[in-house]
């Protein structure tokens, strides 16, 4: 099924904005871990944030690939 290019571009923009926010969150969490490396809650939050970044980036890559037709 061919994706609507306008919807795909809008979704990419949305995801890119979310990635910026997620990366800021990751930096904040990482800074917290530098202060307290044994904080299990921060470790879990960091792993979950990294997973969200990976999922968002993967979706962006898929959408871009679809737009290029490859």
């Amino acid at each position: 099924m061919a994706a609507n290019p306008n919807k795909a571009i809008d979704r990419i923009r949305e995801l890119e904005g979310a990635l910026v926010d997620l990366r800021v969150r990751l930096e904040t969490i990482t800074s917290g871990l530098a202060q307290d490396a044994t904080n299990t809650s921060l470790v879990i939050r960091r792993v979950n944030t990294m997973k969200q970044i990976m999922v968002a980036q993967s979706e962006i890559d898929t959408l871009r690939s679809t737009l290029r037709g490859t």
Side-chain angles (χ1 to χ4, degrees):
M1 164 181 11
N4 179 328
N6 292 328
K7 285 185 180 183
I9 291 168
D10 289 344
R11 180 66 177 149
I12 289 170
R13 286 186 183 131
E14 178 183 321
L15 288 165
E16 286 174 340
L19 276 175
V20 170
D21 294 340
L22 287 166
R23 288 181 178 128
V24 168
R25 185 185 320 163
L26 183 61
E27 280 185 35
T28 302
I29 294 167
T30 300
S31 293
L33 279 171
Q35 301 298 317
D36 181 8
T38 62
N39 186 324
T40 305
S41 175
L42 287 177
V43 172
I44 292 168
R45 286 177 49 205
R46 187 170 188 271
V47 169
N48 287 336
T49 301
M50 291 170 65
K51 179 182 175 185
Q52 290 174 315
I53 290 170
M54 186 180 66
V55 169
Q57 187 62 59
S58 178
E59 186 176 346
I60 288 172
D61 293 345
T62 299
L63 289 167
R64 285 184 178 153
S65 176
T66 300
L67 288 173
R68 285 191 299 263
T70 58

